[in-house]
Amino acid sequence: MLTVLILGGTGEARRLATALDGLPGLSVISSLAGRTSTPLLPPGRVRIGGFGGAAGLAAFLRAEPIGAVVDATHPFAAVISANAVSACTATGVPLLVLRRPGWTAVPGDDWRHVPTIEAAADALPRLGRRALLTTGRQTLAAFAALTDVWFLVRAVEPPEPPVPPRMSVLLDRGPFTRDGERALIEAHSIDVLVTKDSGSPATAAKLDAARDLAVPVLMVDRPPVPTHTASVPSVPDAVAWVTRHTTPR
Ligand code: NAP
């Protein structure tokens, strides 16, 4: 029986755990960072909390022992992804990155790409005065100095200071609908949307609604995928990789 470690926290990670759970010769451990108080749990064994950096992750890989790692974390979770590369290199454990594609603009979209959250905060006051902010509660500090912008902050967990001085918080995790997103934008007179390019189908409706209502979008581009690492865009591709790389003994 070989054990696959899925670094999770995404819908893809849960779907991968579901697909691998019960396959002959495989056992699956899903790992969550522990950021949310009521996480959506995948089937099978789950561990919650950090490993203690790349060295801690390497120690975990040796102790179990783990036969393959799939980094199915969020595209913006760059630290754990870098740690996975270091730990897998150090231990010789095969690593796959499962990264869904980013969103693609279509005619009618008004997207302004920025490389970082800080760049989004810098550009925001020139684009609007009432922002729907969906970049996550951990990004709010970057917007805390903006006094001319009112924020509707949508997040899974309540944010902690520092936060923008003028804001309301909407606790929600989706999936969202186009009609619902239009209603939200209209109800709050939103004139700019700030989002990360997560590529998630569950949260893409806000982009349709922004296009419908001619609201500009500040799109924070993704950090790069770790180089020299196998990468696939979909859960079925990841299942195929795992079954190739974990030969039952
Ligand atoms: P990060 O900055 O890349 O990682 C920070 C630290 O959190 C890591 O060094 C690691 O601690 C721990 N960690 C992260 N993911 C982990 C996992 N799956 N299992 C165990 N420990 C993990 O990560 P982040 O951006 O804060 O995201 C945290 C988690 O939330 C990720 O699993 C990600 O998939 C999910 N998520 C993130 C976003 C986002 O926008 N960033 C959005 C939705 C979901 P140690 O160094 O102690 O091992």
Side-chain angles (χ1 to χ4, degrees), residues 6-10 30-36 47-54 56-57 71-83 100 135-136 138-139 196 198:
I6 301 174
L7 300 171
T10 60
S30 293
S31 176
L32 303 177
R35 295 279 187 277
T36 54
R47 65 161 302 285
I48 298 181
F51 295 95
L57 178 53
D71 170 10
T73 57
H74 190 273
F76 283 80
V79 177
I80 187 70
S81 291
N83 288 352
R100 61 192 173 220
T135 49
Q138 292 180 73
T139 65
K196 294 172 179 171
S198 81

Side-chain angles (χ1 to χ4, degrees), residues 159-180:
E160 289 166 12
V163 296
R166 301 171 57 226
M167 71 165 194
S168 285
V169 175
L170 178 60
L171 297 181
D172 207 345
R173 79 180 346 148
F176 302 105
T177 65
R178 187 175 191 151
D179 285 348

Side-chain angles (χ1 to χ4, degrees), residues 154-224:
R154 186 165 64 194
V156 177
E157 299 279 327
E160 289 166 12
V163 296
R166 301 171 57 226
M167 71 165 194
S168 285
V169 175
L170 178 60
L171 297 181
D172 207 345
R173 79 180 346 148
F176 302 105
T177 65
R178 187 175 191 151
D179 285 348
E181 298 292 62
R182 282 176 60 123
L184 186 72
I185 289 173
E186 288 180 322
H188 295 277
S189 304
I190 297 297
D191 59 10
V192 59
L193 166 65
V194 189
T195 180
K196 294 172 179 171
D197 181 13
S198 81
S200 170
T203 57
K206 62 191 169 189
L207 301 172
D208 296 325
R211 184 185 323 114
D212 292 344
L213 299 169
V215 168
V217 176
L218 259 178
M219 181 70 69
V220 183
D221 290 334
R222 296 170 166 209

